[in-house]
Amino acid sequence: MTQVTTAAQRRRAQPPLQRLTRWVRGGGITTFLFFVPLLFTFGYFAWWPILRSLVLAMQKTNLVTEPTWVGLDNFQRVLADPLLTTAVVNTLWFATLALIIGFPIPILMATFMAELRRTRQIASVLVYLPVIIPPVVAVLLWKQFYDPSPDGVFNEILGMFGIGPLPWLQSPVMAMPSIVVQATWASFGQATIIYLAALMSIQSDLYEAAEMDGARILRRFWHITLPQMRGIMLLLLLLQVIGTMQVFTEPFVMTGGGPVNKTTTVLMLIYNYAFQQGDYGKATALSLLLAVVLTIVSAVYLRLTRSWSKS
């Protein structure tokens, strides 16, 4: 340790020109030339829009006429919008339903697939298939399934049991759960494959020892599988929360925010501000508020789960 420290001190004590020469001979220029395009590209497409949005949020503009500087007025108008409360409640309701329905399904599916031997690869392909379908195509397909007429796919199936027809997307009560079911179907395959990979990394000795002790599959799942996947579960839970708070495609294509604004989400409200009202400053202000909320939620979540994910 002393020798390393001494060597570092000697390098710092060298004249600047000698250090520069050593840096050039060590390939510093080549590294710099490779680094600059990446830094420029990342800064232009990532950091510049963020900085630009900070300015845009304090302007009243439609991106065509000359912008007017309004300061924090955009934030005040957003917070005073009565539809904001509705959008926030709907978004939280969607996130809650998506967590209740969509979070345990991938875990259970991955556990079931891990027990398979010969058909595991086929099952993996079938589970991941909904993920590769373009989102808009999948939503339009399910919108046809949710046809409220007796000839609709789901209503026709229910009709065999004497149920229905049901107004899936036309009912203020059923619209959001129907959207959640479609969103869960479209995305659970990705989480399932991740959980399956985590399961495959668990030492088989643990399961073999549990089987020798007479532990059945439920006890092995509760005492071995869940503790071993705790870190992955916490990470995917956070990503799911962030994703559900930004839901847009499903309610936009399926219901357009209806009926009676029961499926209007925060991102749909941002879309309405920008592309229907032409007020990009107001839309940017709400986008920044959403980003701040998600940042705070993520920081608090990581703080609360830091010790539990490692224990």
Side-chain angles (χ1 to χ4, degrees), residues 157-208:
I157 295 174
L158 293 178
M160 299 177 182
F161 303 94
I163 304 175
L166 299 179
W168 300 97
L169 300 177
Q170 289 71 31
S171 169
V173 177
M174 298 182 61
M176 188 63 80
S178 300
I179 293 175
V180 170
V181 170
Q182 188 280 327
T184 301
W185 171 86
S187 60
F188 85 98
Q190 187 172 6
T192 300
I193 297 301
I194 296 175
Y195 284 131
L196 181 61
L199 282 172
M200 294 297 98
S201 64
I202 299 176
Q203 297 179 2
S204 59
D205 298 344
L206 298 176
Y207 290 105
E208 293 175 359

Side-chain angles (χ1 to χ4, degrees), residues 88-219:
V88 170
V89 171
N90 292 338
T91 302
L92 293 176
W93 179 230
F94 176 89
T96 302
L97 290 177
L99 291 176
I100 295 175
I101 299 175
F103 184 71
I105 289 180
I107 301 175
L108 298 176
M109 184 65 69
T111 304
F112 171 75
M113 292 170 58
E115 298 294 328
L116 301 177
R117 294 296 182 265
R118 299 180 180 179
T119 59
R120 183 184 301 163
Q121 294 182 347
I122 298 177
S124 300
V125 173
L126 294 177
V127 166
Y128 197 75
L129 188 61
V131 180
I132 65 177
I133 299 177
V136 176
V137 175
V139 173
L140 290 175
L141 181 64
W142 275 72
K143 189 175 182 180
Q144 295 298 319
F145 293 165
Y146 283 136
D147 187 348
S149 68
D151 297 330
V153 176
F154 291 151
N155 281 334
E156 191 170 354
I157 295 174
L158 293 178
M160 299 177 182
F161 303 94
I163 304 175
L166 299 179
W168 300 97
L169 300 177
Q170 289 71 31
S171 169
V173 177
M174 298 182 61
M176 188 63 80
S178 300
I179 293 175
V180 170
V181 170
Q182 188 280 327
T184 301
W185 171 86
S187 60
F188 85 98
Q190 187 172 6
T192 300
I193 297 301
I194 296 175
Y195 284 131
L196 181 61
L199 282 172
M200 294 297 98
S201 64
I202 299 176
Q203 297 179 2
S204 59
D205 298 344
L206 298 176
Y207 290 105
E208 293 175 359
E211 290 180 3
M212 294 179 61
D213 292 338
R216 297 184 179 273
I217 184 172
L218 292 179
R219 293 182 62 86

Side-chain angles (χ1 to χ4, degrees), residues 2-136:
T2 305
Q3 294 179 353
V4 174
T5 305
T6 304
Q9 291 176 350
R10 285 200 301 268
R11 286 195 298 269
R12 288 195 297 267
Q14 291 177 350
L17 182 59
Q18 186 175 353
R19 282 187 291 173
L20 178 61
T21 303
R22 183 173 181 176
W23 177 76
V24 172
R25 291 178 178 177
I29 294 181
T30 304
T31 303
F32 181 76
L33 292 177
F34 276 104
F35 177 71
V36 168
L38 297 176
L39 180 63
F40 176 79
T41 303
F42 181 79
Y44 184 79
F45 289 102
W47 290 107
W48 171 246
I50 295 176
L51 296 177
R52 184 70 181 89
S53 65
L54 294 176
V55 177
L56 192 63
M58 298 185 182
Q59 295 176 339
K60 186 175 183 180
T61 178
N62 57 4
L63 300 182
V64 178
T65 60
E66 186 70 21
T68 303
W69 187 266
V70 295
L72 299 178
D73 184 60
N74 285 328
F75 295 93
Q76 295 176 355
R77 291 193 296 133
V78 166
L79 296 176
D81 188 353
L83 193 56
L84 177 62
T85 303
T86 301
V88 170
V89 171
N90 292 338
T91 302
L92 293 176
W93 179 230
F94 176 89
T96 302
L97 290 177
L99 291 176
I100 295 175
I101 299 175
F103 184 71
I105 289 180
I107 301 175
L108 298 176
M109 184 65 69
T111 304
F112 171 75
M113 292 170 58
E115 298 294 328
L116 301 177
R117 294 296 182 265
R118 299 180 180 179
T119 59
R120 183 184 301 163
Q121 294 182 347
I122 298 177
S124 300
V125 173
L126 294 177
V127 166
Y128 197 75
L129 188 61
V131 180
I132 65 177
I133 299 177
V136 176

Side-chain angles (χ1 to χ4, degrees), residues 211-229:
E211 290 180 3
M212 294 179 61
D213 292 338
R216 297 184 179 273
I217 184 172
L218 292 179
R219 293 182 62 86
R220 297 199 302 268
F221 175 77
W222 183 260
H223 294 287
I224 298 178
T225 303
L226 289 182
Q228 292 293 323
M229 294 198 308

